[in-house]
Amino acid sequence: MEQSSANLTERLKCLELKQAELQRTNRRLGSVAGALLILTGSLVLMGQTRQPQSLDAEQFVLRSSDGKVRGAFGITPDGSVGLNLTDAKGETRITLDVSADGSPGLDFYDPQGKLRATVALGPTGTPGMGLYDAASKLRTSLDVPAANTPGLAFYHESGKPAWGAP
């Protein structure tokens, strides 16, 4: 019986040691779980921060998957700003710009890159449109140069006026 009570005491001490070890492990596990929870929460909150609403640059270039420039948007040294769009062959097809004096213009080019049509406003706001031949020479213009007086003109291949009204 004495041996049985000593054996029982020994087993109780062993169980108390195991319980103390389990409590230490449980505390460590709780600390690690808390740290992971805080880290996960921080990452979620950082992912929800607001992204910048603007991107500053002097020029943006648009390239196709094969690396060819297909468009550009930028500012020139003289203060003009423009958008240039090209076809798959690299030829300019459309330009949209605002010159340094504030005059806007829209130009259209043929497949060979030659200017064929333009729509623009002059520095004082007078509207105009020009049509060009295959050599990029002005052949027809429509504008309002004077106070609400429209003008229409046709030009010879040499560039000299052929007919105009008024």
Side-chain angles (χ1 to χ4, degrees):
M1 181 138 156
E2 222 176 275
Q3 187 176 24
S4 148
S5 130
N7 193 12
L8 185 58
T9 304
E10 189 67 34
R11 288 183 75 195
L12 281 174
K13 284 183 185 179
C14 185
L15 285 174
E16 285 176 354
L17 289 173
K18 291 281 187 189
Q19 181 185 13
E21 186 179 327
L22 283 172
Q23 285 176 338
R24 281 192 302 271
T25 303
N26 194 22
R27 278 193 299 270
R28 280 190 227 124
L29 185 59
S31 296
V32 169
L36 285 174
L37 183 62
I38 289 171
L39 180 64
T40 303
S42 298
L43 289 174
V44 167
L45 289 175
M46 285 191 310
Q48 290 180 353
T49 59
R50 206 173 159 159
Q51 297 298 321
Q53 298 297 311
S54 67
L55 178 63
D56 297 334
E58 291 182 14
Q59 183 176 16
F60 295 95
V61 177
L62 180 64
R63 294 182 189 277
S64 62
S65 59
D66 61 0
K68 290 183 182 176
V69 174
R70 294 297 308 274
F73 178 62
I75 301 172
T76 62
D78 73 351
S80 300
V81 62
L83 171 67
N84 182 37
L85 301 176
T86 62
D87 61 19
K89 297 175 185 172
E91 292 293 337
T92 297
R93 297 305 303 271
I94 297 175
T95 61
L96 174 64
D97 57 70
V98 177
S99 67
D101 68 4
S103 303
L106 176 63
D107 300 323
F108 297 91
Y109 298 82
D110 67 16
Q112 289 73 43
K114 305 269 185 175
L115 179 64
R116 297 305 299 267
T118 188
V119 178
L121 293 180
T124 61
T126 57
M129 181 174 80
L131 302 176
Y132 300 81
D133 63 17
S136 294
K137 290 185 180 179
L138 181 64
R139 298 302 299 273
T140 305
S141 67
L142 174 64
D143 55 3
V144 184
N148 295 324
T149 303
L152 175 64
F154 297 98
Y155 301 89
H156 290 289
E157 197 171 321
S158 64
K160 293 182 181 179
W163 182 86

